[in-house]
Amino acid sequence: MSSKTESLLSILKLQPVVPVLIVEDVASAVPLARALVAGGLRAIEITMRTPAALDAVKAVAAEVEGANVGAGTILNGRDFDAAVKAGSTFIVSPGVAPGVLSAAKDSSVPLLPGAATASEVMTLREAGYDVLKFFPAEQAGGSAYLKALSSPLAGTLFCPTGGISLKNARDYLSLPNVVCVGGSWVAPKELVSAGDWAGITKLASEAAALKG
């Protein structure tokens, strides 16, 4: 196992659920991250889907003690490098592209690349990746599909993301090839907009207590 894989696993194993966040306003990033950390969710993915995302990563990396902030929805090498410069401790991509793999090869920051089919998993394994994001999880076949991959693709671990909630998270976490799940339900938009950080800490605590 490579040092980057070990580093990635040490982050993903901090908790059963990695919050997947869309941050619209950088001012909410720090209190949101602090609320999640207070609830036991220290590894946090901020997706690069808004103009505020990079600044949100910078703010959380600099100001939130105990947080491991990563950048998600990385689609090319330029975005990979920018996210690393902002302070990301891990990088997440919904799929894989040559530019992303090239940037990851040259960086000490670990990449969690996405895969949705057996062929994509095999391709990433050949490239040296044994820990992958299964995305979009529910739409691509759900926990039953992922379970079916566990024997022929033994040794590969997944962080399923997409359509996962408190209701079905255990279906994934009970699988032998799942290290954690990614989910946005721990930071609903209405609670973030209202600044209900206590409410988010409560949701984070429920998620942190999940087991397979």
Side-chain angles (χ1 to χ4, degrees):
M1 185 181 295
S2 71
S3 60
K4 282 197 282 190
T5 300
E6 289 178 352
S7 175
L8 179 61
L9 280 175
S10 71
I11 294 170
L12 298 181
K13 288 182 176 179
L14 288 171
Q15 62 220 31
V17 179
V18 175
V20 179
L21 309 178
I22 298 176
V23 178
E24 302 283 356
D25 180 5
V26 68
S28 68
V30 167
L32 172 57
R34 284 177 176 155
L36 292 166
V37 170
L41 302 183
R42 294 165 53 197
I44 298 166
E45 175 189 339
I46 296 177
T47 60
M48 298 294 104
R49 301 184 193 179
T50 69
L54 267 182
D55 286 336
V57 169
K58 289 179 186 176
V60 172
E63 299 179 39
V64 184
E65 185 176 354
N68 279 272
V69 62
T73 320
I74 297 298
L75 305 180
N76 54 59
R78 181 183 64 255
D79 290 347
F80 187 110
D81 293 338
V84 170
K85 188 177 180 180
S88 300
T89 60
F90 64 102
I91 300 292
V92 186
S93 179
V96 67
V100 174
L101 291 180
S102 178
K105 186 177 181 180
D106 295 335
S107 175
S108 61
V109 176
L111 168 67
L112 179 69
T117 68
S119 295
E120 291 170 354
V121 174
M122 291 168 65
T123 299
L124 283 165
R125 280 166 58 114
E126 282 199 357
Y129 291 90
D130 299 316
V131 185
L132 310 176
K133 172 179 179 173
F134 177 50
F135 177 83
E138 282 291 283
Q139 296 83 351
S143 58
Y145 180 86
L146 204 51
K147 182 179 181 180
L149 295 183
S150 63
S151 180
L153 296 173
T156 305
L157 293 174
F158 296 92
C159 173
T161 305
I164 298 178
S165 66
L166 187 64
K167 185 181 294 185
N168 63 3
R170 284 191 178 89
D171 296 339
Y172 291 93
L173 292 169
S174 64
L175 299 178
N177 56 345
V178 168
V179 62
C180 64
V181 301
S184 59
W185 84 87
V186 294
K189 188 175 181 178
E190 60 271 18
L191 293 189
V192 175
S193 297
D196 187 356
W197 311 125
I200 288 174
T201 295
K202 182 177 184 293
L203 292 175
S205 298
E206 292 172 353
L210 282 172
K211 295 180 180 178

